[in-house]
Amino acid sequence: MKTLLSGGTVISMDPHVGDLARGDVLIEDGVIVEVAERIDAPDAERIDATDRIVMPGFVDNHRHTWQTAFRGVGADWTFPEWAVAMHGTVKPHYQPEDVYAGTLLGRLEALHSGVTTMLDWYHVAQTPQHEDAAVAALRDAPGRSIFCLGAGWGTPDPVDAAVRRVHSQLAADGLVTMALGLRGPEATSMDTVAEELKLAAELDLRTSLHVDITAGAVADLREHGLLRDTTTFVHGNGLSDEELRMLADAGSSLSISPDVELKMGFGNPMTGRALAAGLRPTLSIDDVPSVGGDMFSTMRTAFAVQRGLDGGLRSRDLLAFATVDAAASCGLDARTGSITPGKDADIILLRADDLTVFPVTDPAATVVSAGHPGLVDTVLVAGRVVKRHGVLLDVDLVALRTRLLESRNRIAAAAGIPLDGTWRPQPASE
Ligand SMILES: [Zn+2]
């Protein structure tokens, strides 16, 4: 089956393909086969990309999707408030069906705003049924997803059995794959970190690890020979420049969640310091109770902060962080992250005729400086059209919204929290 994206403005994010002021993209059986100014393909189904910016879908490599039912409730929270609210107050009341509804609606929202690849950093684990519900939701959303099973969040120790059980259900080359969330030296012993890395290596899983604001965690891991080129470090705002160079030397990745880090007191996003250390940053959403779930605002925050700090970064850098670089951090750069012949067709079409961006003179700069989810007209994942003319296809959003509201209301009632904007979590230290 052939599809031709015809007559769009192409930002390929591939230096060999470049950008095309007017270009066609030919897709065959889900794979990009040609990108050129004009492609003659009379047998292809044609998608008119006139007045559209055609670019690779975004890659979000760190989102705790289960929290979707509580979207927006924590805009004013500090990190201790978020922790007690989400992990202490609501999480104990999550049933598998709540995990399913939150993960599915969260993944659909990400697709809706152009995130074709998303890593679900799962830490609501309690039972195999909860894990299975999250995996089922990721499978039911037509995106490319990575189920990152977080160790140490209620999963029985050791995590070995849980990881092997879920891993046996997911094909390595499917749209939903698996990663392992490490608890790291801030939360467990180096022996346990080593065991978890050994398990990940045996199953060929990439790993992800929160290091938050503490300095020294990366140096400790390096001292124990535990830095890997398959690990993505999340946040890392407390890391020294020397530790960032250690990550660069090891080939590890860094995931920055700019809005969460700024609002919750972690510090400034590390884009500039990471680049100076030779490390390509990537971007992620983290928590939708606190921040929006789209990569446009995420890029813009990171961009504005770095420009405010030292005048660094160009708009195209942000696009790279949110596409090709993040794809590499997920081990998926051979399949996604750019419009490159041979890669899967994970592509979004943005409205260039929308009044919020019109007239578009510099497409990449426009996407970063003024882009928003309302521009996302069409989304393809592995060549399958999952959103068209601004509407997600083949999903019953009315029913799903009802389901998520019921989930939220039931959990809130069980946890005794108000839903009128007056919920102020009380961390133990206050
Ligand atoms: Zn996180």
Side-chain angles (χ1 to χ4, degrees):
M1 185 190 139
K2 290 183 184 175
T3 305
L4 184 70
L5 309 180
S6 170
T9 299
V10 179
I11 305 173
S12 74
M13 299 309 291
D14 178 333
H16 301 291
V17 175
D19 291 351
L20 300 166
R22 188 234 174 261
D24 292 349
V25 179
L26 183 63
I27 300 160
E28 190 167 352
D29 296 329
V31 176
I32 299 161
V33 292
E34 190 181 355
V35 187
E37 283 185 10
R38 285 188 194 275
I39 298 172
D40 190 27
D43 53 340
E45 183 186 337
R46 186 172 169 276
I47 291 179
D48 184 5
T50 307
D51 291 328
R52 301 289 179 265
I53 295 168
V54 178
M55 64 169 279
F58 294 111
V59 179
D60 170 12
N61 62 8
H62 155 236
R63 179 184 313 219
H64 308 288
T65 324
W66 61 271
Q67 307 173 94
T68 304
F70 293 93
R71 188 189 293 284
V73 301
D76 300 334
W77 292 348
T78 62
F79 181 71
E81 288 170 341
W82 169 83
V84 73
M86 283 296 127
H87 286 294
T89 308
V90 302
K91 188 163 104 174
H93 300 285
Y94 265 72
Q95 300 297 322
E97 58 266 32
D98 301 311
V99 174
Y100 178 84
T103 305
L104 179 55
L105 267 286
R107 184 63 189 97
L108 289 173
E109 173 251 324
L111 275 174
H112 187 55
S113 59
V115 176
T116 49
T117 299
M118 193 198 83
L119 182 143
D120 174 34
W121 214 113
Y122 175 89
H123 59 9
V124 64
Q126 282 149 352
T127 70
Q129 290 74 35
H130 288 78
E131 294 157 2
D132 289 348
V135 171
L138 296 176
R139 280 187 157 140
D140 287 348
R144 190 181 302 279
S145 300
I146 301 147
F147 177 70
C148 180
L149 179 60
W153 295 92
T155 328
D157 255 334
V159 294
D160 213 275
V163 173
R164 289 179 192 280
R165 193 186 66 78
V166 177
H167 180 255
S168 69
Q169 302 169 21
L170 294 172
D173 59 351
L175 266 190
V176 181
T177 53
M178 189 179 178
L180 177 59
L182 306 172
R183 59 198 111 177
E186 292 175 352
T188 187
S189 69
M190 279 296 174
D191 285 348
T192 302
V193 177
E195 281 166 23
E196 289 174 0
L197 280 170
K198 194 173 158 210
L199 174 65
E202 182 200 324
L203 299 177
D204 199 19
L205 301 178
R206 296 186 67 91
T207 54
S208 179
L209 168 57
H210 288 76
V211 282
D212 298 353
I213 57 172
T214 319
V218 167
D220 281 353
L221 286 167
R222 170 145 145 160
E223 200 176 305
H224 287 80
L226 296 175
L227 290 185
R228 300 281 181 275
D229 62 2
T230 47
T231 301
T232 298
F233 287 79
V234 176
H235 305 312
N237 307 70
L239 299 177
S240 66
D241 290 340
E242 192 186 351
E243 288 182 292
L244 291 173
R245 283 192 292 274
M246 290 176 187
L247 294 185
D249 288 347
S252 305
S253 304
L254 180 69
S255 178
I256 293 170
S257 316
D259 293 278
V260 161
E261 291 166 18
L262 287 161
K263 286 172 64 177
M264 290 203 191
F266 294 2
N268 288 322
M270 304 274 279
T271 44
R273 288 183 54 209
L275 286 170
L279 190 60
R280 296 292 302 173
T282 65
L283 298 175
S284 61
I285 299 300
D286 201 352
D287 302 306
V288 298
S290 307
V291 304
D294 70 279
M295 298 303 279
F296 299 99
S297 56
T298 303
M299 291 192 294
R300 194 141 62 238
T301 299
F303 192 26
V305 170
Q306 197 61 51
R307 292 296 281 250
L309 286 171
D310 64 3
L313 297 184
R314 309 283 297 173
S315 49
R316 194 170 288 263
D317 295 328
L318 281 301
L319 283 184
F321 301 161
T323 57
V324 273
D325 294 331
S329 78
C330 295
L332 290 170
D333 44 324
R335 304 190 72 166
T336 191
S338 63
I339 300 182
T340 300
K343 285 195 183 186
D344 289 357
D346 293 354
I347 295 174
I348 59 177
L349 273 59
L350 307 179
R351 296 191 65 103
D353 56 355
D354 191 88
L355 290 185
T356 55
V357 294
F358 182 85
V360 174
T361 305
D362 180 335
T366 299
V367 171
V368 176
S369 63
H372 57 88
L375 302 179
V376 180
D377 175 77
T378 300
V379 177
L380 292 88
V381 177
R384 174 182 170 189
V385 180
V386 302
K387 183 178 181 184
R388 186 76 181 112
H389 303 306
V391 178
L392 285 172
L393 304 179
D394 304 324
V395 286
D396 184 351
L397 286 182
V398 174
L400 290 177
R401 282 197 196 97
T402 301
R403 200 164 163 176
L404 190 66
L405 272 182
E406 287 171 357
S407 166
R408 183 198 66 175
N409 294 347
R410 190 194 61 73
I411 294 166
I417 53 174
L419 291 173
D420 59 0
T422 60
W423 183 18
R424 189 75 179 174
Q426 298 293 326
S429 57
E430 284 185 8

